[in-house]
Amino acid sequence: MEHIKLGNIIRPCPVCKLGAEELPNRGRLASEIECPRCGQYSISSTAEAVLEHRPDTFRYAMSARLRAYTERGESPPMVMDADLDGYLTDSSVPRRISDRIDAFLISTHKRMGRIGVPAQFSVHDDYPLFHCKDDSEFHHFLMLALNMGLVTVGSRDASGRVPVELTTSGWMRLDELQGPAPATGHQCFVAMRFSEEMAPVYQQGMEPAIRECGYEPIRVDRVEHNNKICDLIIAELKRSRLVVADFTFNRGGVYFEAGYALGLGVPVIWTRRATASDELHFDTRQYNHIEWTTPEDLRVKLKARIEATARLKA
Ligand SMILES: [Zn+2]
């Protein structure tokens, strides 16, 4: 309690029972509390009286729940006696240790200024963030994350602050938690055979249809005899909002690119010349292919399909 605000009263926190501040009461029935562990909240006098008789485990759960409001930057919650039991049954209390570790990684990332600048946690005040009951449990929790190889933990300073940094494994776990990076541009990947014969199909069919829908077409021309899927193709697929895949020539690379995009959750539009002689691969016959006759026919049909796909995604 280093910087007590003018007019505030020092008193035990009704929830964690450790030192907190109460804001001056201006005729309100509830007390406004600022606790370094539970954060800011208001509590009615009846709720405070009921809490007196609740077991410690109840108060730990409640402390964690209240602190989350302050951590998220939300307005302070109001604790009434009528909804006290909601805090124990709430499904937001994590049952698994791995969920608490994940929350810790996200919190560490949020508190880091940038890569190489460690997050600071107070062993005295920050333990409710991860549903620990006190600073001793928080210490063990930190050691657990350390032993899992997810973070490095520095030595604590005189005020009880410890520097925490994510390790390579910690960053990778964080990436998993955040899911695939959303494509932000308007790139449309074109997967097709780029031969002389197909040049007008691209120039008069694919490209104008894609551009007219507000997308930027990207084609990665492959050396035809080289079936190796290069990193460039994967990088461009990850950056794309949409994939148009033409199966007129039944190329293995086109199947790969369409399949990879599906795995990333990128919508794929399937096209094929109506007179194509090659049989479609069995697994992709289920997809509704645009059957086109001329480049102009492809342009009209593809444009309509892209617009319909965009509407579905909106
Ligand atoms: Zn408290």
Side-chain angles (χ1 to χ4, degrees):
M1 310 302 293
E2 290 151 11
H3 309 287
I4 297 147
K5 286 194 197 115
L6 200 66
N8 283 4
I9 307 157
I10 302 167
R11 55 157 293 176
C13 166
V15 178
C16 69
K17 297 194 172 174
L18 298 169
E21 290 180 49
E22 181 176 338
L23 275 65
N25 196 320
R26 300 180 201 90
R28 295 189 201 91
L29 288 170
S31 305
E32 288 178 62
I33 307 290
E34 277 186 19
C35 172
R37 292 154 300 276
C38 309
Q40 285 188 34
Y41 64 95
S42 297
I43 184 163
S44 71
S45 51
T46 42
E48 216 177 311
V50 173
L51 257 180
E52 277 288 315
H53 306 288
R54 288 297 166 105
D56 287 349
T57 47
F58 183 91
R59 292 188 297 102
Y60 302 146
M62 189 151 168
S63 175
R65 181 76 203 285
L66 291 176
R67 177 63 183 273
Y69 284 89
T70 303
E71 195 67 8
R72 290 194 298 258
E74 292 172 11
S75 51
M78 170 76 193
V79 181
M80 312 280 280
D81 63 318
D83 53 32
L84 265 185
D85 286 312
Y87 288 96
L88 252 198
T89 54
D90 196 295
S91 58
S92 68
V93 177
R95 300 274 172 252
R96 296 185 307 180
I97 188 73
S98 57
D99 293 334
R100 292 162 64 188
I101 296 281
D102 285 346
F104 176 58
L105 298 181
I106 291 166
S107 200
T108 300
H109 180 230
K110 250 169 106 176
R111 286 178 181 224
M112 285 173 68
R114 54 190 158 79
I115 292 175
V117 180
Q120 300 286 338
F121 287 97
S122 162
V123 289
H124 303 309
D125 298 336
D126 287 334
Y127 55 81
L129 286 171
F130 313 109
H131 298 266
C132 297
K133 71 179 172 68
D134 55 22
D135 47 5
S136 163
E137 187 184 335
F138 188 37
H139 171 76
H140 286 97
F141 178 81
L142 287 173
M143 290 306 107
L144 189 65
L146 176 77
N147 291 334
M148 287 168 83
L150 298 169
V151 294
T152 59
V153 180
S155 47
R156 76 169 73 170
D157 68 11
S159 61
R161 300 181 78 79
V162 285
V164 177
E165 271 188 88
L166 296 169
T167 62
T168 312
S169 305
W171 281 111
M172 288 173 79
R173 177 62 190 147
L174 192 72
D175 272 1
E176 271 173 40
L177 292 171
Q178 289 171 336
T184 50
H186 288 88
Q187 177 165 301
C188 173
F189 189 100
V190 181
M192 64 185 285
R193 181 187 189 182
F194 294 109
S195 59
E196 215 171 294
E197 183 191 353
M198 290 295 277
V201 175
Y202 179 79
Q203 287 157 9
Q204 295 155 37
M206 294 276 187
E207 193 177 10
I210 292 165
R211 288 197 193 281
E212 281 164 27
C213 292
Y215 290 90
E216 186 63 34
I218 175 129
R219 43 182 278 184
V220 180
D221 296 15
R222 270 189 311 278
V223 180
E224 278 298 325
H225 59 264
N226 180 3
N227 274 328
K228 195 168 164 281
I229 304 300
C230 69
D231 293 343
L232 176 66
I233 288 174
I234 294 198
E236 295 300 349
L237 279 168
K238 283 181 175 170
R239 224 171 278 148
S240 297
R241 274 277 174 85
L242 188 68
V243 170
V244 176
D246 184 83
F247 292 88
T248 300
F249 292 99
N250 238 352
R251 313 300 298 185
V254 177
Y255 281 101
F256 176 89
E257 287 153 9
Y260 197 90
L262 284 179
L264 290 171
V266 179
V268 177
I269 295 176
W270 312 74
T271 71
R272 185 172 187 257
R273 187 163 59 195
T275 54
S277 52
D278 290 348
E279 275 277 305
L280 278 173
H281 190 276
F282 179 77
D283 291 338
T284 58
R285 263 181 247 155
Q286 55 172 306
Y287 295 106
N288 182 8
H289 289 70
I290 294 174
E291 301 253 340
W292 55 270
T293 51
T294 61
E296 171 61 18
D297 182 45
L298 174 63
R299 189 183 69 78
V300 173
K301 288 176 176 167
L302 180 58
K303 190 181 169 193
R305 185 70 66 88
I306 293 174
E307 283 169 348
T309 307
R311 269 199 302 279
L312 277 178
K313 288 273 287 180

